[in-house]
């Protein structure tokens, strides 16, 4: 919206400059947080509680952990200390998951996938891709659903009766979803 205001002359050069500088500093801080990756032991050495699974995590991924803020990551991420970004600006990265209001750059999907929600949105996107791939998965019309593990007896009976043509058919999907 701010960019639209600028286009129509409602935002002064001074305000636009301040906005642009702030956005650039937040983008740089986000970039730094994404680049620095430590092991669970590395994060724990700075006092963060991290699962001992051997997975390297970026500073940005650490924002998904309870009580971890971009400001708290300064000790573990020296490059972040070197930036001209104060706690108030860093808090914008943790609070709403974007370095600037979402309506400014809706065409820039990277900034919609930031902060606390990045992991969840990435997983949902992967689930959606798999779901769409399953749409082309044709089912054997003679399949015996009584041998399929993990589905309820009610769904098993309905599938045996209806015999859907594919996994994501208008018949099969609602039957399975109802069982959850």
């Amino acid at each position: 919206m701010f960019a639209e205001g600028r286009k129509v002359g409602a935002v002064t050069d001074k305000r636009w400059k301040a906005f642009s500088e702030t956005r650039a500093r937040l983008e740089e801080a986000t970039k730094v947080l994404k680049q620095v990756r430590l092991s669970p032991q590395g994060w724990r050495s700075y006092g963060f509680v991290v699962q001992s699974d051997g997975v390297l995590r970026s500073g940005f991924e650490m924002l998904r952990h309870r009580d971890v803020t971009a400001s708290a990551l300064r000790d573990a991420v020296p490059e972040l200390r070197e930036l001209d970004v104060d706690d108030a600006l860093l808090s914008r990265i943790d609070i709403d998951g974007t370095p600037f209001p979402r309506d400014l750059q809706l065409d820039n999907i990277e900034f919609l996938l930031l902060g606390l929600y990045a992991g969840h949105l990435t997983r949902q996107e992967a689930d959606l891709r798999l779901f769409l791939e399953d749409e082309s998965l044709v089912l054997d019309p003679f399949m015996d659903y009584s041998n399929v593990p993990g589905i309820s007896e009610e769904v098993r009976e309905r599938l045996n009766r209806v015999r859907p043509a594919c996994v994501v058919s208008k018949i099969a999907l609602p039957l399975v979803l109802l069982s959850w």
Side-chain angles (χ1 to χ4, degrees):
M1 202 156 190
F2 203 77
E4 293 302 315
R6 173 73 174 168
K7 286 179 188 175
V8 298
V11 176
T12 66
D13 290 342
K14 182 179 176 181
R15 291 207 18 108
W16 182 254
K17 181 181 179 198
F19 166 79
S20 298
E21 289 171 357
T22 299
R23 181 173 61 182
R25 289 196 320 262
L26 288 170
E27 288 173 352
E28 184 63 25
T30 300
K31 180 180 172 186
V32 165
L33 287 170
K34 286 182 175 183
Q35 289 174 341
V36 173
R37 300 182 71 74
L38 296 177
S39 67
Q41 297 82 0
W43 289 115
R44 278 200 301 277
S45 72
Y46 290 100
F48 296 104
V49 178
V50 183
Q51 184 177 354
S52 294
D53 55 9
V55 175
L56 293 177
R57 290 172 179 81
S58 71
F60 192 76
E61 291 167 322
M62 288 297 294
L63 292 175
R64 288 185 240 142
H65 292 254
R66 179 173 290 205
D67 299 325
V68 175
T69 65
S71 295
L73 292 170
R74 277 200 175 111
D75 288 338
V77 183
E79 297 89 340
L80 195 57
R81 287 193 309 261
E82 297 167 11
L83 298 177
D84 179 26
V85 182
D86 62 15
D87 288 346
L89 288 176
L90 287 176
S91 70
R92 291 174 62 181
I93 294 172
D94 352 279
I95 291 175
D96 66 1
T98 61
F100 48 90
R102 291 176 188 248
D103 60 346
L104 290 177
Q105 298 273 334
L106 287 178
D107 58 321
N108 190 342
I109 193 67
E110 178 180 58
F111 288 102
L112 294 176
L113 300 176
L114 294 178
L116 297 172
Y117 305 107
H120 303 293
L121 293 174
T122 302
R123 270 194 305 281
Q124 286 179 351
E125 186 178 271
D127 289 346
L128 179 59
R129 271 196 300 276
L130 286 173
F131 176 81
L132 293 174
E133 288 171 11
D134 284 347
E135 190 170 13
S136 62
L137 181 62
V138 178
L139 297 175
D140 178 357
F142 304 106
M143 181 177 203
D144 182 8
Y145 291 100
S146 60
N147 295 325
V148 177
I151 60 175
S152 70
E153 190 59 36
E154 179 185 8
V155 170
R156 186 173 284 121
E157 288 173 13
R158 288 182 183 179
L159 289 171
N160 275 321
R161 187 175 52 241
V162 174
R163 303 260 171 227
C166 69
V167 172
V168 190
S169 75
K170 291 180 181 176
I171 298 168
L173 186 62
L175 292 177
V176 175
L177 292 177
L178 282 174
S179 69
W180 288 353

